[in-house]
Amino acid sequence: MAVTTPATSASGPWLIVGLGNPGPEYAMNRHNVGFMVVDLLADRIGGRFKRASKAQAQVVEGRVGPPGPDSRRVVLVKPMSYMNLSGGPVNALRDFYKVPLANVVAVHDELDIDYGTLRLKLGGGDNGHNGLKSMTKAMGADYHRVRFGIGRPPGRMQVADYVLKDFSSAERKELDYFVDRAADSVECLLAEGLERAQSAYNS
């Protein structure tokens, strides 16, 4: 049976969702790498996050890419509802901005990938990630994901403890580079499509 790929809209806006938890105590946690990536994207377009009027989230509106018709309108999103309730704010913003589901991109930490490795894909399961689980429950699974590898916890450390700890001092030496590369992959996805972005950034 043929598998159909949901159509994206070149002219419509893209919703780029960084998954994480609000508050300074979580800012450098592994679970908050999605926030780090959308923060960098906001810096690149000269935007500052502000409270959304239609959802429990912070947003930045702008354009990504070269000036002119090839640029993409984006809404960068940081849900402020805590990870396991991310779907409600994201779906409210998707409705408000009239964003097709395939124009939603979730940027999130991924346990089953080595630290710093990226995997881009469309649709799929949540692999136990509470942010993805909430988003999929709210609006379906056929959105894009930028999966940022954080590796598995060492020894017998519980997963919940591991993801809610800050990146280690060794990891932080390369964190800026990996976050920068993840932001690049988002821009490539929007400008050139999933297959080109996967070819360039999946490793």
Side-chain angles (χ1 to χ4, degrees):
M1 185 174 68
V3 177
T4 59
T5 301
T8 60
S9 170
S11 59
W14 285 77
L15 209 64
I16 313 301
V17 181
L19 290 176
N21 289 307
E25 68 269 33
Y26 299 105
M28 290 304 296
N29 287 182
R30 294 181 178 94
H31 223 18
N32 269 48
V33 73
F35 275 17
M36 298 175 197
V37 174
V38 294
D39 279 339
L40 178 56
L41 288 167
D43 286 344
R44 289 182 178 184
I45 64 175
R48 296 183 63 182
F49 278 96
K50 61 183 180 181
R51 184 176 179 179
S53 60
K54 301 297 181 182
Q56 190 177 358
Q58 292 183 355
V59 299
V60 170
E61 297 181 49
R63 301 192 77 88
V64 166
D70 291 333
S71 68
R72 298 289 183 264
R73 181 184 168 205
V74 297
V75 182
L76 306 175
V77 181
K78 294 195 293 187
M80 293 286 112
S81 56
Y82 291 97
M83 184 71 81
N84 62 343
L85 298 173
S86 300
V90 172
N91 202 38
L93 289 169
R94 188 174 77 89
D95 288 344
F96 177 72
Y97 288 103
K98 297 179 173 56
V99 177
L101 184 55
N103 278 30
V104 176
V105 182
V107 185
H108 64 93
D109 58 301
E110 178 60 64
L111 285 161
D112 288 335
I113 301 175
D114 290 341
Y115 174 60
T117 300
L118 296 176
R119 294 280 193 276
L120 285 76
K121 70 173 189 174
L122 174 66
D126 57 60
N127 201 25
H129 192 288
N130 287 332
L132 296 180
K133 189 178 299 184
S134 180
M135 286 181 60
T136 297
K137 182 178 179 181
M139 60 189 191
D142 291 330
Y143 53 91
H144 287 86
R145 297 101 186 277
V146 174
R147 305 158 71 203
F148 186 110
I150 61 171
R152 301 294 302 184
R156 297 186 177 184
M157 182 183 290
Q158 296 294 312
V159 166
D161 293 333
Y162 178 70
V163 300
L164 293 176
K165 284 188 180 297
D166 290 358
F167 285 100
S168 69
S169 57
E171 289 169 334
R172 285 198 295 271
K173 292 177 182 178
E174 296 183 290
L175 182 59
D176 287 348
Y177 167 76
F178 289 139
V179 168
D180 189 72
R181 191 166 182 269
D184 289 346
S185 77
V186 173
E187 293 184 347
C188 182
L189 170 64
L190 270 57
E192 301 184 51
L194 179 60
E195 288 187 8
R196 177 69 183 91
Q198 287 175 324
S199 176
Y201 292 96
N202 282 14
S203 55

